Amino acid sequence: MKRIHQSQAGSTAGELLGTISYIAFTLLTIWGIGWSFYRHGPIHGVASVMIPPYAWYRGVAAIWDTPAWRERYDVRTEQLAIMIVNSVNNDPNWQIQSREYAQTIKDWIRHVPQSERQKLKDAARDFGFATTDYCQRYLLAMLDGDTSTHPEQAASVQQHVAGFHAMKGFDSAWQHLVQDTNSLDDVLTSLKRGQSNPNLQLQADESQDNRPKTENAIRAMIQVMSEKIQRTIDELFAAS
């Protein structure tokens, strides 16, 4: 009798183990197929349907797969920084190009997890504040003829830089901004000559006696720039 009971117990345990294994592999197959279509595209999805072991592999590989939003992260953050810098760019060609550009960034941001998305938005704001602070300091220094100044080293600028420095895309865009000052020199020349800035519609006299007007024009221009930058950031993150 004991042998019969042991045999029945062993048979029951074997059936239970078999059932559990069947359910586990079925779920793994379904998960692997779904993940293949979602993460790797239709070719891998169809392959996982036709070849169950491949679906099992994809199901397990999902554990170490890099999230889609993490791929090309540095490229996307640099593109985001470029959008921020160009917030005051009213060039018609850029306006047309930037629509598709902005939509690509919005779609990417939408797939970033909420916690990471907030970090990204905070970094974008720091990049915006650093940009406007740097531009104002540079223009005012150049207005006084101080060519040896390094406004990027100012404590207030560095405080904001610290907020995005760890993100390579933002940091790369920042380095380009600091190294290429030609556009800022052009803006200052335009203001000193009393010419209107086409983007910000500001004007100042070139006379040294009217330096306060030029300085006020710079500060007003930076204020408008700051508002446009923050508006751009809000719009890019609005749908997320």
Side-chain angles (χ1 to χ4, degrees), residues 37-177:
F37 275 106
Y38 171 73
R39 184 67 178 79
H40 299 283
I43 294 178
H44 291 274
V46 172
S48 65
V49 172
M50 302 299 293
I51 310 172
Y54 184 69
W56 304 338
Y57 164 72
R58 280 301 177 193
V60 174
I63 298 174
W64 61 76
D65 268 350
T66 302
W69 63 272
R70 265 293 179 187
E71 292 186 349
R72 304 184 69 204
Y73 186 82
D74 295 341
V75 174
R76 294 305 184 202
T77 49
E78 186 167 5
Q79 290 175 336
L80 176 55
I82 291 173
M83 285 292 298
I84 292 172
V85 171
N86 281 278
S87 295
V88 293
N89 188 346
N90 289 330
D91 179 75
N93 292 329
W94 167 254
Q95 290 297 316
I96 295 173
Q97 177 187 356
S98 65
R99 293 172 189 170
E100 182 178 351
Y101 211 53
Q103 191 57 52
T104 298
I105 296 175
K106 283 182 179 181
D107 291 341
W108 171 68
I109 291 175
R110 194 175 297 115
H111 289 88
V112 176
Q114 181 60 43
S115 59
E116 293 294 330
R117 195 183 308 158
Q118 187 57 52
K119 293 178 183 178
L120 187 64
K121 187 174 184 179
D122 291 341
R125 291 201 183 283
D126 275 319
F127 182 85
F129 289 133
T131 297
T132 52
D133 193 358
Y134 167 78
C135 289
Q136 177 168 292
R137 289 175 179 278
Y138 179 88
L139 291 171
L140 291 177
M142 291 301 102
L143 181 62
D144 292 331
D146 185 0
T147 58
S148 63
T149 186
H150 292 281
E152 71 277 9
Q153 296 177 4
S156 59
V157 175
Q158 284 299 310
Q159 181 179 1
H160 291 301
V161 170
F164 64 80
H165 180 67
M167 298 183 180
K168 292 182 179 179
F170 278 119
D171 191 56
S172 177
W174 174 251
Q175 295 304 323
H176 286 304
L177 176 67

Side-chain angles (χ1 to χ4, degrees), residues 186-198 201-206:
D186 291 342
V187 169
L188 180 59
T189 300
S190 176
L191 289 172
K192 291 174 71 174
R193 288 177 179 173
Q195 298 171 346
S196 296
N197 183 307
Q201 297 181 346
L202 296 171
Q203 193 172 28
D205 298 328
E206 66 174 330

Side-chain angles (χ1 to χ4, degrees), residues 205-224:
D205 298 328
E206 66 174 330
S207 171
Q208 184 63 31
D209 294 337
N210 288 305
R211 181 194 179 286
K213 290 184 178 180
T214 304
E215 180 177 342
N216 289 338
I218 290 174
R219 295 185 183 281
M221 179 186 69
I222 294 300
Q223 179 61 37
V224 173

